[in-house]
Amino acid sequence: MDPTLLLAHIRKHVKLDLPEQQLLASSLVEKSVKRKEFVLKQEESCKHIYFVNSGLLRAFHLSPQGKDSTIMFATKEWWITDMYCFVNRLPAMVNIQAVQDCELLSLSKDHLDKVFSEIPRFERYFRILMENAYSREQLRMIQNLSNTAKERYNTFLNKYPDISAHVTQKQIASYLGITPEFLSAIRAEKD
Amino acid sequence: MDPTLLLAHIRKHVKLDLPEQQLLASSLVEKSVKRKEFVLKQEESCKHIYFVNSGLLRAFHLSPQGKDSTIMFATKEWWITDMYCFVNRLPAMVNIQAVQDCELLSLSKDHLDKVFSEIPRFERYFRILMENAYSREQLRMIQNLSNTAKERYNTFLNKYPDISAHVTQKQIASYLGITPEFLSAIRAEKD
DNA sequence: GGGGAAAATTAAGATACCTTAAGAAATACT
DNA sequence: AGTATTTCTTAAGGTATCTTAATTTTCCCC
C-alpha cells in the first residue's frame, strides 16, 4: 500500500500531520485492475471511491436503449466513483471500467466517514475536491449547452490532451454526446 | 438579519452550538433584490455566495454570439453563486438575476473561509452541499447526453414543479438547451 | 384599466446530427 | 504471424432541432 501520490496530492491543499497520514493510509486498500475490467457496474451497490495511482478509467452510463454516455475519465491523481449513489447509498447508475491497466487506492464510504470525523483537514481537502468537481461539471454544462459538437471536440482535445491520446474516438464521441460517425465527419472537415 | 431558515437547513445535516450559530450569523449580510435585478453580472468579480430566504433566481451564461444558457435556478433554501469563479477568485462567467423579488443572505469568500476555519461542522455542511451539487450536475449531464428534449422537459417538470410554475418557457428552454420555438412544438404534441 | 413590451405559438425552410450499412484500418487474441 | 474483433471512415437518407418571421397571447407598467 503506497499512499505517496495521494499524500502529495493532499499536501497541495491541506497539511496533515504524521498520525493523520497514517490513519488515512490504514483506511486505504490497494486495488489493481486490468484493462477492460470493471470497478463498478450499473445496479451494483457503490460502496467505494477510488484514487488513481496510475492508469486510466472511464465512467459511463448505459441507457435502457443501450446508449453509452461517458460521464468522466479519470487519470493519475483523480478520484472517481458514482458520487450520487456513493453518497446516498443507492445502486450505481454508472459503470466504471479500466481503459488501461490501473493501480487504485480504494476507500469505503464507512472509512471515509470515519476519516472525515477524525481528520477535519481531510474533510477540508474533500470539500475543495467537491467544489472543483462541481465547478468543472458546471463549466462542462455551459459548454454543452452553448457550443457545437466541433467546438466541444476542440475544447476536449485542448483541455485533456493526455486523455485524448489514450482513449478511442468512440469514447470521446460518447463523452461529447455525439455518435462516432459524426465525430469522424467533424475530424474529416479541414477546419 | 434573520438566519432562521438557514440554521434550520444546516440543522438537517450537522449540529451547530449557539456560539457557532452566532458567529455564522454575524458573517451574513441581508440583501433584497427586486425582480429582474442582477446579483452578479458576467465579467464582474464574484466575491459572494447567496442563500435564498425567499424568491427565485436564475443563473445563466451568455455566449459571445448572445446565446442564453441557464445553468441553474435557485429557490428557497438553495445556495447560489458562480462557484468556479467564486472559488478561484476569477471574473464571473455567469449572470445571476432575480426572477422574482428575493430575500437573500450574502456571505463573502473571506467570511466563508473564516467560518470554515472556526466551525469545522460548517465545513462539513458545505462539503455535503458540494457533494450534492456535484451529484446533481452529473445526473443532469447523464440526462442531457442520453435523453431527447421532450424527455428532458418532462423530467424537469417532475423534478422542479415549483420552479416550472414560476419561470417562463423561454427560461425553461434555455435550461434544457433548446429554443423556445422548439419547446413550444414539444408542448403542442398531444400526449 | 389601457398601451406597450415580452412571451408563446405556428409554420416553412435550413442545418446539425443520427441511422444504417459497408468497407478499410487498426488492434487484440492464439 | 494470421485471424478475429473492434474501431474508424464514408456516404446516403432520415430526424431532431434551429432560424426566421408573422401572429396571437400574456403580462407588466403607468
Side-chain angles (χ1 to χ4, degrees), chain A residues 61 67 71 84 87 93 116-117 123-124 127 130-131 135 137-142 145 177, chain B residues 61 67 71 84 87 93 116-117 123-124 127 130-131 134-135 137-142 145 177:
Chain A
H61 172 78
K67 180 166 181 188
I71 314 305
Y84 182 72
V87 163
M93 292 173 353
F116 283 151
S117 291
E123 188 155 29
R124 165 161 306 177
R127 188 259 302 164
M130 290 300 104
E131 285 175 355
S135 299
E137 285 303 301
Q138 205 155 281
L139 211 54
R140 184 179 173 197
M141 184 61 68
I142 291 175
L145 292 176
Chain B
H61 172 78
K67 181 166 180 189
I71 315 305
Y84 181 73
V87 163
M93 292 171 353
F116 283 152
S117 292
E123 188 155 29
R124 164 161 306 177
R127 188 259 302 165
M130 290 299 104
E131 286 175 354
Y134 172 44
S135 300
E137 285 303 301
Q138 205 156 282
L139 211 56
R140 184 180 172 196
M141 184 61 68
I142 292 176
L145 293 176

Side-chain angles (χ1 to χ4, degrees), chain B residues 31-46:
Chain B
K31 186 176 173 94
S32 298
V33 291
K34 290 284 173 199
R35 189 181 139 72
K36 299 205 171 172
E37 211 175 296
F38 282 81
V39 172
L40 177 67
K41 283 189 172 168
Q42 243 167 290
E43 313 300 343
E44 284 180 5
S45 76
C46 175

Side-chain angles (χ1 to χ4, degrees), chain B residues 2-190:
Chain B
D2 179 12
T4 312
L5 189 63
L6 173 56
L7 292 173
H9 188 250
I10 293 175
R11 205 172 303 121
K12 290 178 192 169
H13 298 102
V14 300
K15 304 297 167 208
L16 299 189
D17 61 30
L18 205 55
E20 288 172 336
Q21 295 181 21
Q22 286 164 347
L23 173 64
L24 172 61
S26 74
S27 307
L28 299 167
V29 176
E30 266 182 357
K31 186 176 173 94
S32 298
V33 291
K34 290 284 173 199
R35 189 181 139 72
K36 299 205 171 172
E37 211 175 296
F38 282 81
V39 172
L40 177 67
K41 283 189 172 168
Q42 243 167 290
E43 313 300 343
E44 284 180 5
S45 76
C46 175
K47 298 191 171 129
H48 295 82
I49 184 167
Y50 304 95
F51 178 81
V52 183
N53 258 332
S54 68
L56 178 56
L57 299 147
R58 182 173 78 101
F60 62 101
H61 172 78
L62 286 179
S63 77
Q65 301 83 41
K67 181 166 180 189
D68 174 320
S69 302
T70 295
I71 315 305
M72 66 179 291
F73 298 101
T75 181
K76 200 166 67 161
E77 294 189 321
W78 286 62
W79 288 91
I80 190 169
T81 190
D82 180 340
M83 192 57 67
Y84 181 73
C85 300
F86 177 75
V87 163
N88 299 296
R89 299 184 188 267
L90 293 170
M93 292 171 353
V94 158
N95 304 281
I96 302 180
Q97 186 181 23
V99 172
Q100 300 178 325
D101 294 355
C102 293
E103 294 296 329
L104 308 177
L105 301 178
S106 157
L107 182 53
S108 72
K109 173 102 172 92
D110 291 339
H111 277 102
L112 178 61
D113 285 338
K114 192 162 146 253
V115 172
F116 283 152
S117 292
E118 300 186 3
I119 315 177
R121 272 175 298 209
F122 184 82
E123 188 155 29
R124 164 161 306 177
Y125 164 71
F126 214 78
R127 188 259 302 165
I128 293 169
L129 288 189
M130 290 299 104
E131 286 175 354
N132 291 339
Y134 172 44
S135 300
R136 203 165 43 240
E137 285 303 301
Q138 205 156 282
L139 211 56
R140 184 180 172 196
M141 184 61 68
I142 292 176
Q143 289 178 336
N144 272 269
L145 293 176
S146 53
N147 295 342
T148 131
K150 173 152 209 178
E151 290 165 338
R152 282 180 275 147
Y153 176 58
N154 288 325
T155 302
F156 181 80
L157 293 186
N158 288 324
K159 194 163 180 182
Y160 304 113
D162 46 342
I163 293 175
S164 316
H166 295 293
V167 299
T168 65
Q169 283 169 218
K170 194 179 173 184
Q171 291 166 340
I172 295 178
S174 153
Y175 181 89
L176 298 176
I178 61 177
T179 57
E181 293 83 357
F182 187 54
L183 177 54
S184 195
I186 286 172
R187 285 160 47 86
E189 292 173 30
K190 40 205 156 294

